[in-house]
Amino acid sequence: MPPSPIPACSVLFNLLGCWANEVFFMISGYFLIASAARAWDGGATWKSQMQRTAQRLGKVVMPAAFYCVVALSWSTVVSPIPDVTLSTHYWYTLGLEFIWVYAATVFMAPWFGLAKSRLSQKSYTTTVIAVGILAFVVNGYIAAMSTTSAGEFSWLQKLMSAATYVIAFLIGGLLRDVTDVMDSDRAGTLGMRSLAAILALATILEGALSFTGNLTAMAVLSYKSTSLISFALAAASLLFAATRRRALGNPRNAGVIVTLSTATLGFYVMQSLTSSL
């Protein structure tokens, strides 16, 4: 009897969700690390860097706090939302771990920029890549051990998810270096080929595992940000988007994109708080 397509599809959607989370962190690293490094090179002080960081954190924390108040008010006055109450804490702490990890990563951007500014390009790049490789070796080991211990290592996987998001942020900064120095035509070709190749590999791998009914392996390969597939897809997606030829932009389209971008965190908060419905 062939494997049910429903579990396979749900695992695949989980992979795409991981892909989106990685892209979110990489885009931020693409801009914020370079911005912080330029500021240090231009003689910025810690005070000015912290002021800019506080402004960025406000754009993360304030929307999250607003939607938490909205959800709590609805749950208290209109219709109860499971687990969203004054007496419970998970819904606005670990329930929004993505938001708080992102805020912590944005807070660290000046330090990453300082390291980039003070170290040689080779030393900085080598260090980031080495730490990234180490993180995914650990991710692979924990995933393998978790499948043989009935999920005993799940808390370690969540911890490594947070660490891997930070790696994604750093890799985004490295991709900025690639696109800044590479010829635009060559960079565009690299971006297109990289995305096409990784999409093809991911599709073949996920399809083969689904066809053989190996949903356990699919789940391991797709778990949160510890998924190497989603990480590679995110990096290729960012490289592809960053190397497209710039055409005359439509201001209205640009406005829509900016509006949707700023709404992303709000959407994440609301779907996290109301998913139990």
Side-chain angles (χ1 to χ4, degrees):
M1 183 175 181
S4 169
I6 296 177
C9 287
S10 66
V11 174
L12 183 58
F13 281 126
N14 186 51
L15 170 66
L16 296 178
C18 298
W19 177 6
N21 288 351
E22 300 286 10
V23 168
F24 192 90
F25 273 81
M26 286 186 187
I27 290 174
S28 298
Y30 185 89
F31 291 105
L32 296 186
I33 294 176
S35 176
R38 283 196 305 269
W40 287 121
D41 291 338
T45 63
W46 275 107
K47 181 179 180 180
S48 64
Q49 289 278 39
M50 289 298 101
Q51 287 174 338
R52 296 173 68 187
T53 300
Q55 291 175 346
R56 291 171 180 142
L57 286 176
K59 295 178 181 179
V60 177
V61 175
M62 294 306 293
F66 171 79
Y67 287 111
C68 282
V69 170
V70 169
L72 180 61
S73 300
W74 182 277
S75 182
T76 303
V77 178
V78 182
S79 178
I81 300 175
D83 301 322
V84 178
T85 66
L86 282 173
S87 60
T88 56
H89 309 288
Y90 181 86
W91 61 278
Y92 64 83
T93 54
L94 290 179
L96 297 179
E97 60 180 334
F98 178 87
I99 298 292
W100 308 130
V101 170
Y102 180 70
T105 307
V106 169
F107 179 76
M108 291 188 289
W111 281 269
F112 295 144
L114 182 63
K116 182 176 178 58
S117 176
R118 298 293 184 265
L119 295 175
S120 68
Q121 180 65 38
K122 182 178 180 180
S123 297
Y124 178 79
T125 301
T126 301
T127 301
V128 171
I129 292 175
V131 172
I133 292 173
L134 177 62
F136 277 102
V137 169
V138 174
N139 287 343
Y141 174 77
I142 293 175
M145 294 299 294
S146 183
T147 58
T148 60
S149 59
E152 181 181 345
F153 292 86
S154 61
W155 67 272
L156 277 175
Q157 286 181 303
K158 290 187 176 182
L159 182 63
M160 285 306 299
S161 277
T164 312
Y165 283 141
V166 179
I167 299 299
F169 189 83
L170 292 169
I171 292 298
L174 290 187
L175 289 176
R176 176 64 176 267
D177 296 336
V178 172
T179 59
D180 281 351
V181 301
M182 188 175 289
D183 173 79
S184 60
D185 289 335
R186 184 182 173 195
T189 301
L190 175 63
M192 182 178 295
R193 289 179 177 177
S194 298
L195 181 57
I198 294 175
L199 274 173
L201 288 173
T203 302
I204 292 170
L205 177 60
E206 294 286 323
L209 292 175
S210 176
F211 181 77
T212 58
N214 198 341
L215 299 183
T216 300
M218 287 183 72
V220 169
L221 289 172
S222 305
Y223 182 84
K224 289 183 175 284
S225 63
T226 58
S227 166
L228 183 58
I229 299 175
S230 63
F231 193 92
L233 279 172
S237 300
L238 176 56
L239 183 61
F240 174 79
T243 54
R244 294 305 87 204
R245 289 185 177 275
R246 290 188 178 92
L248 292 176
N250 184 321
R252 183 178 298 176
N253 292 344
V256 170
I257 291 171
V258 170
T259 300
L260 292 175
S261 298
T262 55
T264 301
L265 282 176
F267 172 78
Y268 175 85
V269 174
M270 284 306 296
Q271 64 91 19
S272 295
L273 297 178
T274 60
S275 61
S276 56
L277 295 176

